[in-house]
């Protein structure tokens, strides 16, 4: 067994996807203690990812990995962006607010962004990466897979929303997939 890596998220959808990327790596994954909540006071995804990884690492005295992500919608000038989790009280109300704010705007262009950070037990950031996936916001939710905004995020190349595509396709092409593809090769070199 390798070193312990605390997965610093309280979002079950994210946790499941992060675990899938880290399976087979030489790290023993551990869940973040429930009571450890980190205030996301940064102004960028990368800053918030670093804050979460660093503070969870220090608090647990272990290595920690965090993901800060969200949806940027062109017609809303990049909103909800880093406030994607705070846009509503649950996934359903977040989606409904997004569709209301967009109305019948013809510009449906959007992107998901994911910043990943890995911190040493000291809190020092060891690795960082960012991944982006382009798509469009539908007028109505489609599909039941995934989590969060997945039912309204449509990827034209696949003619499916993230919630309609097989898990392994989202795993491959998503913002999180791209961030992990950049990060994983470097994960082996950490000491
Ligand atoms: P942690 O900070 O505990 O990890 P969180 O849900 O608060 O959990 P964020 O602040 O990073 O995480 O917010 C991410 C938001 O963006 C949240 O509302 C997600 O539903 C949404 N999101 C991120 N990745 C997504 C994905 O792959 N599919 C759908 N929605 C996603």
């Amino acid at each position: 067994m390798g070193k312990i890596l605390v997965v610093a998220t309280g979002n079950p959808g994210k946790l499941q996807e992060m675990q899938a990327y880290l399976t087979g790596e030489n790290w023993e994954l551990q869940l973040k203690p429930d009571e450890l909540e980190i205030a996301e006071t940064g102004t960028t995804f990368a800053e918030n990812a670093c804050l979460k990884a660093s503070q969870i690492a220090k608090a647990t005295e272990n290595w920690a990995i965090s993901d800060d992500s969200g949806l940027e919608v062109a017609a809303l000038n990049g909103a909800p962006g880093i406030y994607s989790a705070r846009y509503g009280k649950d996934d359903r109300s977040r989606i409904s607010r997004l569709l209301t704010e967009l109305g019948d705007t013809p510009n449906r262009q959007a992107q998901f962004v994911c910043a990943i950070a890995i911190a040493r037990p000291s809190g020092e950031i060891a690795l960082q990466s960012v991944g982006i996936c382009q798509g469009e916001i539908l007028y109505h939710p489609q599909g039941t897979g995934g989590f969060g905004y997945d039912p309204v995020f449509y990827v034209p190349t696949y003619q499916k929303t993230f919630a309609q595509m097989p898990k392994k396709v989202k795993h491959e092409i998503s913002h999180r997939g791209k961030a992990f593809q950049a990060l994983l090769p470097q994960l082996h070199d950490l000491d």
Side-chain angles (χ1 to χ4, degrees), residues 6 20 39 45 86 88 93 110 116 118 135 137-139 149 153 169 176 185 191:
V6 178
F45 293 109
R86 291 167 257 182
S93 47
I116 307 274
I118 294 185
I137 305 300
L138 292 184
Y139 291 83
Y149 298 91
F153 188 80
V169 177
R176 190 163 293 104
D191 51 28

Side-chain angles (χ1 to χ4, degrees), residues 8-11 14 17 32 40 45 52 67-71 81-82 84-86 91 94 112-113 147-150 162 170 174-176:
T9 181
N11 180 322
K14 268 206 279 205
E17 292 190 7
K32 165 184 93 75
E40 295 181 20
F45 293 109
K52 285 189 270 190
D67 162 317
D68 199 67
S69 46
L71 182 64
I82 60 167
S84 294
R86 291 167 257 182
D91 286 342
R94 286 187 271 264
F112 264 125
V113 183
F147 67 97
Y149 298 91
D150 282 350
F162 269 178
K170 183 186 174 194
S174 76
H175 49 313
R176 190 163 293 104

Side-chain angles (χ1 to χ4, degrees), residues 31-42:
L31 297 185
K32 165 184 93 75
D34 257 356
E35 66 278 8
L36 267 184
E37 293 260 20
I38 307 304
E40 295 181 20
T41 55

Side-chain angles (χ1 to χ4, degrees), residues 97-160:
R97 176 167 172 198
L98 174 67
L99 295 181
T100 305
E101 299 210 354
L102 265 180
D104 54 8
T105 314
N107 177 8
R108 313 300 291 187
Q109 201 195 318
Q111 59 184 25
F112 264 125
V113 183
C114 174
I116 307 274
I118 294 185
R120 300 176 183 278
S122 66
E124 185 200 344
I125 298 298
L127 288 180
Q128 286 188 65
S129 77
V130 178
I132 291 178
C133 181
Q134 308 275 351
E136 294 165 11
I137 305 300
L138 292 184
Y139 291 83
H140 304 284
Q142 296 281 352
T144 54
F147 67 97
Y149 298 91
D150 282 350
V152 288
F153 188 80
Y154 179 81
V155 185
T157 323
Y158 290 84
Q159 301 190 348
K160 282 185 171 60

